[in-house]
Amino acid sequence: MPGYASSCLLRHNILNVDAGASIPEERLFEYTNGHYLVNDEQQRRKRYVKFDVHELCNAVSSVTKDGSAVCKIDKMEGGFSKALLMTTATGHQVVAKLPNSTAGRARYSTASEAAVLQYVRYHTTVPVPRVLAWNDDPSNPVGAEYILMEKASGVQLHTVYDELKAYQRLQLIESLTKLEHELASVPFPAYGSLYLRHSVSDISESVALDSTADPAAAYCIGPQCGPLWTNGSSHQDLEADLNAGPWSDLSQFALALARRSLARTKLPFPEYVIPTIHGTRQDHEAVLSSAVKVLPTIATHPLLQQRCKASLWHHDLHLGNIFVSEQNHAEITCIIDWQSASVSPLFCQPRWPVFLTPPDGYQEGLSVIPALPEDFEDLDKDDKWLAQFNRDEAVSAKAYEATTHMHNREAYNARFRLDDSLRGLFADIGDTWEDGIATLQVRLVKVFNSWTKMGFTQPCPIQFTPADIESISHRNDQHILFQEVQAMARKYLGTDANGWLGSSQEFAVKCKRNPELLKLAIGYFEKHLSADEVKALWPFPPRVEPQV
């Protein structure tokens, strides 16, 4: 959709700002929102986006009421996109979002996000920014894909969340589950990504929404556009091997996930991979081939069929993506960042909002009430604080679980009442190249062992000998240790799987702390792993001097 097509002569005297400080124009293109403990330069280079600043300003001026010039650009950005708050001389504010190379399939991710925002805004009561213009063709005058949208109303939840009283948190959580129910109630005809029909005219296959969901016949379901549905590398032939949809039934969807993982075996191993744990290329091909044999039958299971309606879901509900009223901090005024929101089987969609993720040891179930440990009074001051913190986190998670049961029963049943051996296959099969094969192997063994109990009368198409099962169990034990080492590094360095840290100062501090933490990990795991094994599993190799 060409929201802006030609240049104009409007002059923009622009102040570029990043974190409150004036910056040169080149800094708008660079990734300046943090550093990475691994491959820092490469990670930041992937997030570099070059564009014509004045043409972007012209595009913004063209969608404001008075057409005034842009005088200030406040730079914000995340891992997948730049967000620029553009302010005009008369005070109008527009957010420009420009995806980087990690965002997903070129053009499709922009077209889909624009469609999702417009569909959700005009066909539900879920509050989202109004799209003012968008263009998915990087040859446009701006020189990059972009979406122009209203600035979200209200304040970001992370600025006020700690101030909320218990009843306000409950109100907020309840509102959120009601909005999720409304999204999940929209009847979509297939799995894939949502698009405006005119934007996917070159797609060979798409499925139109029916008149109840789309009276104006404006939308359709087309190919998945998220990052996992691109090759993620310079291997341009890989996308040709990916069937990114749309898919009309669960069996097609499941097989596409397996074949996506098979296609990714053409890529080089991720740097952190240890083949004895992660699996060799041949291991991946063998396990995925077994999954392909069993998935078409598993997909027919009645419990999956009852919970596989095509549903839209927001996958990244953290405190920065939710805005609330300045007057009532329990009232949600806007939800942002719908990039790569997909239409998938309902049982694949529900997940804990990031800020409601339960603490370790959380017990699911409406009859379980979070409580302090029995020996609470015997704990020292620090342990009491931690116990109270974990109890409060569990209470918030339980509130989400309970209000989902109350207001979004279908999603609750799909998330909490479905055998994990069924749902888990779909979670583990799509990206074994990144995550390893151990968990998928264990799930396939469970399927083999419970085949008859699941109600299938035909012979199970996969077989495991006792020796196979013992070998798989051993690999899974190794994989669990691998995950524990990785989790320890992420937790105590305060980072994610990529090693992202939010400032140069924090980056320098954590680079110095990293080797000290590695020494502690060697001692912690000494009963199970040698020092060399812990070093091999450690996700962030210590560097001598941080490069900032």
Side-chain angles (χ1 to χ4, degrees), residues 24 55 66 148 154 167 186 195 203 225 246 248 277 298 300 311 345 349 362 372 376-377 382 395 449 493 497:
E55 290 291 0
D66 59 5
L148 303 182
Y167 77 90
V186 177
Y195 300 90
I203 293 178
C225 61
S248 59
I277 297 175
I298 290 290
T300 66
S311 304
Q349 295 284 48
Y362 178 82
L372 293 171
F376 177 76
E377 294 301 331
D382 290 341
V395 167
N449 287 331
L493 288 170

Side-chain angles (χ1 to χ4, degrees), residues 81-118:
S81 297
K82 293 186 184 299
L84 307 173
L85 179 60
M86 319 278 284
T87 303
T88 70
T90 54
H92 291 102
Q93 291 189 312
V94 172
V95 173
K97 185 173 184 178
L98 295 84
N100 62 46
S101 65
T102 69
R105 193 172 179 183
R107 303 194 62 171
Y108 289 80
S109 59
T110 295
S112 181
E113 183 174 13
V116 168
L117 285 168
Q118 292 178 82

Side-chain angles (χ1 to χ4, degrees), residues 352 358-374 387-402:
W352 296 101
D360 292 341
Y362 178 82
Q363 291 181 282
E364 295 179 356
L366 300 180
S367 63
V368 182
I369 300 175
L372 293 171
E374 293 182 1
Q388 289 175 319
F389 176 81
N390 285 336
R391 190 272 314 272
D392 292 344
E393 294 288 287
V395 167
S396 294
K398 190 62 65 177
Y400 178 77
E401 186 181 343

